[in-house]
Amino acid sequence: MERPMLNHFHNYQEICDYLFAAQKAYPDLMKLKSLAKTGEGRDIWCVTLSKGGDPDSKPAFYVQGGIHAQEGMGITCSLNFLWTVLEQNAQILENVTVYILPCVNPDGSDLCVRSGLSLRSKLQRIDGVDNGIVPQDLDGDGKILFMRRENPNGYYVQLPECGDVLVPRRAGDKGPFYDMFIEGIVENYNGGELKRGYRDLDFNRQYAAGWVNNPNAGDFPGNHTEPSTIMRFLSTHSNIFMMMDVHCGTRALIYSVPGNIQDNRFFRNLAMLGNKITGIEAVAGNRYGKPSDVPPSNSMGTNRDYCNDALGIPTLTVELGNGYNSLGMAATEIFNAPLYERELISKIVAMHAAKGKTVAYPWKKVKHPQLGEVEVGGRDYHDAYFMDADDMLELLPKVADFFLQVVDMVPVLNFTHLTCDAVGEDIYRIRAGIVNNGQLYTRILHGATGYHATRDNIDFKLEGAQEILSRSGAESIKALESLDTAGAEWFIRAKSGDKLTVKATFPKAVNAVAEIIVP
């Protein structure tokens, strides 16, 4: 099975082709299921990787990418992790299940990869807006770029060092100056001032935890198929012990800052481990994207909020990076920089030009159906904003290594002792002890009160006895920290040679199962 092309943004058909090929190559390890159809009829594919047994009965590691339409390298990262597990680390699937949703938002992603459009998640037309521009390819080149019209009082100017990318003008600049708009048609045109005629919906503000009503968050939590599908999947899989949500903003490992001190330390240490392996900067969620002089605050209605708070699934947001990172800028430096200043734009243009790549297209005259003659061209946002695709060649294998390290942290229940002693005629005493040999607390989070966190005890079961005399066949044992132990005891009626089974089970842990032959 070939590795996915790492310095490449995959369109929907390429994603499907790769997943079908992987399933064909590894039919015993990989199952592919469509969780839902999008509004445009595309499948939201879920990959389940597991070896033997019921995948949903094992602790699970979950990875998703592509919820933001323009962030194509999150899809590439997810496909690369799929390849890394199947081709190089299939042994982990004996004890752990891996769920991968490589592209949560296939409609938006496919549009952005093909057209270069800047789009958060989904276009939604706003009815009744006069002079509202809606993105559309006007000249048939497959791209949705920008339109410009010359205006002596225009806000934008074209500079030689910035190529065909228009930048905000400054006092003293010499024209010509331009008005600039997204390439598209104008609905309800009456000759007035042009406006945005669409909402740029953000599916990562539509989760049912901390949701707030804003124009991009949808009309209610889970308003659209994509986020509601993810919420349904996560809420019905209590075996997920860790989640990685892969994005492509300013390069950072974004960790939550809960009030519980143990969980606070856990998230920070997890992000610092990722930093050590990948080189990606660890950034607290309430500081991400904020200049140093701005007070900390959290985004609302995000996947990280939903998983950590509503479900008790610890989640790290992996931001792979943008073009400013490719210039060598660190996250904190970017947060404090005037990002759209011409000096940075010129460096981005020069960086790509040195590699023979195009981040902007020459302006050409087009007859617009409402506006008359305009020029279409300028920045291909998809290629020009995000990090240089070649950076993925080095970064994505490191991210996969980090994910594997996290998988290795899973709670593991093992028996410390298991005895069967006769105490009377056909009466026996069974003693069993377990230890958590994993690196994580069996509940993972200490302060979580979400849906999955309400069940926090380990089930200890004895099966096969003719009669259990002392208590029921099931014990409830407290959650175990790493290397902590616990035990249980039963008095039973049995015959010599009877086969007994003892189980210690918890959804987020590798379970312990052993047999005893009555002496």
Side-chain angles (χ1 to χ4, degrees), residues 230-231 233-237 305-314 445 448-454 508:
I230 302 310
M231 286 192 287
F233 183 85
L234 294 173
S235 65
T236 56
H237 287 78
D305 293 332
Y306 179 69
C307 290
N308 293 336
D309 300 339
L311 298 181
I313 299 175
L445 298 177
T449 57
Y451 180 65
H452 289 174
T454 55
K508 299 182 188 299

Side-chain angles (χ1 to χ4, degrees), residues 205-258:
R205 298 297 183 272
Q206 289 191 17
Y207 288 94
W211 182 85
V212 294
N213 186 11
N214 70 58
N216 297 327
D219 297 329
F220 51 84
N223 184 193
H224 292 85
T225 297
E226 293 82 353
S228 66
T229 297
I230 302 310
M231 286 192 287
R232 187 179 305 110
F233 183 85
L234 294 173
S235 65
T236 56
H237 287 78
S238 60
N239 59 325
I240 298 174
F241 76 93
M242 192 76 68
M243 175 178 176
M244 298 289 167
D245 191 12
V246 189
H247 292 253
C248 308
T250 300
R251 189 172 299 164
L253 296 172
I254 307 175
Y255 61 93
S256 295
V257 188

Side-chain angles (χ1 to χ4, degrees), residues 159-435:
L159 301 175
E161 63 268 29
C162 296
D164 289 300
V165 179
L166 297 189
V167 296
R169 65 184 286 186
R170 293 175 181 170
D173 283 341
K174 298 186 181 302
F177 303 117
Y178 300 92
D179 295 326
M180 184 171 66
F181 315 95
I182 194 73
E183 180 182 355
I185 60 170
V186 184
E187 297 187 340
N188 305 313
Y189 183 60
N190 60 19
E193 181 182 357
L194 299 182
K195 306 172 187 175
R196 175 182 281 195
Y198 64 97
R199 296 167 71 185
D200 185 357
L201 296 174
D202 188 341
F203 291 158
N204 201 32
R205 298 297 183 272
Q206 289 191 17
Y207 288 94
W211 182 85
V212 294
N213 186 11
N214 70 58
N216 297 327
D219 297 329
F220 51 84
N223 184 193
H224 292 85
T225 297
E226 293 82 353
S228 66
T229 297
I230 302 310
M231 286 192 287
R232 187 179 305 110
F233 183 85
L234 294 173
S235 65
T236 56
H237 287 78
S238 60
N239 59 325
I240 298 174
F241 76 93
M242 192 76 68
M243 175 178 176
M244 298 289 167
D245 191 12
V246 189
H247 292 253
C248 308
T250 300
R251 189 172 299 164
L253 296 172
I254 307 175
Y255 61 93
S256 295
V257 188
N260 180 281
I261 190 169
Q262 292 168 293
D263 293 345
N264 194 312
R265 186 179 298 118
F266 161 75
F267 279 115
R268 186 177 185 278
N269 288 343
L270 182 67
M272 292 305 296
L273 172 66
N275 170 257
K276 181 178 179 181
I277 296 170
T278 67
I280 301 176
E281 188 174 349
V283 178
N286 59 6
R287 292 296 330 160
Y288 183 76
K290 296 173 177 61
S292 55
D293 58 350
V294 172
S297 63
N298 288 311
S299 298
M300 308 301 288
T302 67
N303 179 73
R304 194 170 64 253
D305 293 332
Y306 179 69
C307 290
N308 293 336
D309 300 339
L311 298 181
I313 299 175
T315 299
L316 203 65
T317 304
V318 181
E319 299 281 2
L320 294 173
N322 58 27
Y324 305 110
N325 292 124
S326 291
L327 289 176
M329 298 174 67
T332 50
E333 184 181 1
I334 293 171
F335 298 154
N336 285 286
L339 294 185
Y340 300 104
E341 291 291 340
R342 59 187 61 175
E343 288 79 9
L344 289 178
I345 295 296
S346 66
K347 290 179 180 178
I348 292 280
V349 170
M351 175 183 69
H352 286 284
K355 297 184 177 185
K357 299 180 179 180
T358 298
V359 297
Y361 289 79
W363 296 92
K364 60 182 179 181
K365 293 181 179 180
V366 172
K367 182 71 173 179
H368 192 281
Q370 290 95 15
L371 303 177
E373 186 176 279
V374 297
E375 290 183 291
V376 171
R379 187 173 183 173
D380 181 328
Y381 189 88
H382 190 272
D383 288 338
Y385 172 72
F386 296 107
M387 69 176 178
D388 178 48
D390 288 343
D391 288 0
M392 293 191 283
L393 296 169
E394 179 180 359
L395 181 62
L396 296 193
K398 293 179 181 179
V399 173
D401 289 343
F402 170 48
F403 289 176
L404 291 171
Q405 285 270 44
V406 177
V407 170
D408 198 46
M409 298 166 68
V410 64
V412 179
L413 301 178
N414 293 128
F415 288 110
T416 58
H417 61 274
L418 198 56
T419 61
C420 179
D421 301 310
V423 294
E425 185 175 353
D426 294 337
I427 306 297
Y428 296 86
R429 179 170 64 187
I430 309 297
R431 288 176 170 172
I434 56 168
V435 61

